[in-house]
Amino acid sequence: MRVRVQAEPFDFGAECGAFAAGRRDAGAVVTFAGIVRDDGGLARMELEHYPGMTEKALERIAAEAMRRWSLVDCLVIHRHGPLMPGETIMMVATAAPHRADAFAAAEFLMDYLKSRAPFWKKEFGADGAAWVAAKDADEQALDRWSED
Amino acid sequence: MIDVLYFAWLRERIGLPKERVQTSAATVADLVEELKAREERYAVAFADLAAVRVALDQELAEFDAPLAGVREVAFFPPMTGG
């Protein structure tokens, strides 16, 4: 299990290849990349975070995924700082003996880090700058993982 | 003394990322009231607490949480990572 928080770009393909390479214990690897989307007029994005808490929150979410599913490994990389449209913001990768666990754990990681890891997006466009508002749907997405 | 951190639009409205605060507030909610009473910019930033989240020593917490023993309080809007 590994978590990285960094300003620098990363090579999604290389990370996926390295994550999957040499595994004999996992029959399934699932990867996801989040990309800066330009819905029209986005010049750039700034991703603010809370150094210290960010790493702790991501490590806790990753550990929870390892606990809930039979994963042999998982990886979370999340960038902060300035980002341009088309750049990769973050990725998750999961490895499991079978694909159902790998897919479910990857979705769980995405749902949780969207609203439980301390990142805030600010978009800059022709009309000025605005903080991205959290979506109710993102919060509701967590309900499906409730263990109650 | 307690370190108080602000992120995203709370940081912008209050005009600083971090400050040391001398307080005897028992809970987060009490601390917010103290800050709001200080200056208009705090009152503006904390006008709608439904839009504010809090972390105590880097763990998410509620506004009625006690501050005893806490070294770092952070205020920020709902998170938008991913």
Side-chain angles (χ1 to χ4, degrees):
Chain A
M1 183 191 112
R2 214 147 52 88
V3 163
R4 273 162 49 197
V5 180
Q6 61 185 57
E8 305 75 41
F10 60 88
D11 182 335
F12 177 61
E15 295 291 347
C16 291
F19 183 80
R23 294 202 182 279
R24 302 171 71 92
D25 49 358
V29 167
V30 165
T31 61
F32 171 89
I35 313 288
V36 180
R37 183 183 64 244
D38 179 5
D39 286 330
L42 179 71
R44 66 186 173 93
M45 179 181 276
E46 287 272 346
L47 199 51
E48 185 170 331
H49 80 123
Y50 182 172
M53 181 174 169
T54 309
E55 291 81 357
K56 278 191 210 171
L58 292 177
E59 276 163 19
R60 176 169 317 153
I61 294 165
E64 179 66 10
M66 298 290 290
R67 183 186 74 77
R68 288 191 183 209
W69 289 279
S70 46
L71 300 184
V72 296
D73 200 4
C74 74
L75 168 69
V76 177
I77 303 175
H78 208 304
R79 291 177 61 192
H80 58 86
L83 288 150
M84 304 299 284
E87 281 194 68
T88 306
I89 305 179
M90 53 80 60
M91 68 165 286
V92 303
T94 56
H98 303 286
R99 73 175 185 278
D101 281 341
F103 273 115
E107 278 214 280
F108 170 89
L109 287 169
M110 286 311 306
D111 282 350
Y112 264 80
L113 68 82
K114 267 195 113 62
S115 43
R116 290 293 183 272
F119 289 100
W120 302 276
K121 292 187 181 115
K122 190 176 191 179
E123 294 180 338
F124 295 77
D127 301 332
W131 291 98
V132 173
K135 295 188 187 77
D136 289 343
D138 288 340
E139 192 63 32
Q140 286 156 10
L142 302 187
D143 292 346
R144 66 174 158 150
W145 304 112
S146 170
E147 288 186 311
D148 297 339
Chain B
M1 295 291 270
I2 200 163
D3 286 323
V4 183
L5 283 65
Y6 309 102
F7 291 96
W9 55 256
L10 275 127
R11 172 179 53 73
E12 292 179 343
R13 282 179 202 175
I14 290 165
L16 75 178
K18 182 176 183 176
E19 61 184 326
R20 299 211 80 192
V21 175
Q22 181 76 54
T23 180
S24 52
T27 66
V28 175
D30 294 343
L31 174 63
V32 169
E33 287 311 310
E34 281 187 13
L35 293 169
K36 283 169 78 174
R38 270 183 169 186
E39 279 180 61
E40 180 66 17
R41 59 197 166 111
Y42 291 95
V44 169
F46 289 110
D48 177 15
L49 284 187
V52 178
R53 301 289 179 267
V54 62
L56 301 181
D57 290 330
Q58 307 189 348
E59 303 278 349
L60 284 173
E62 302 293 332
F63 281 87
D64 59 2
L67 286 181
V70 170
R71 285 170 302 176
E72 183 174 295
V73 179
F75 294 104
F76 42 78
M79 295 163 266
T80 54

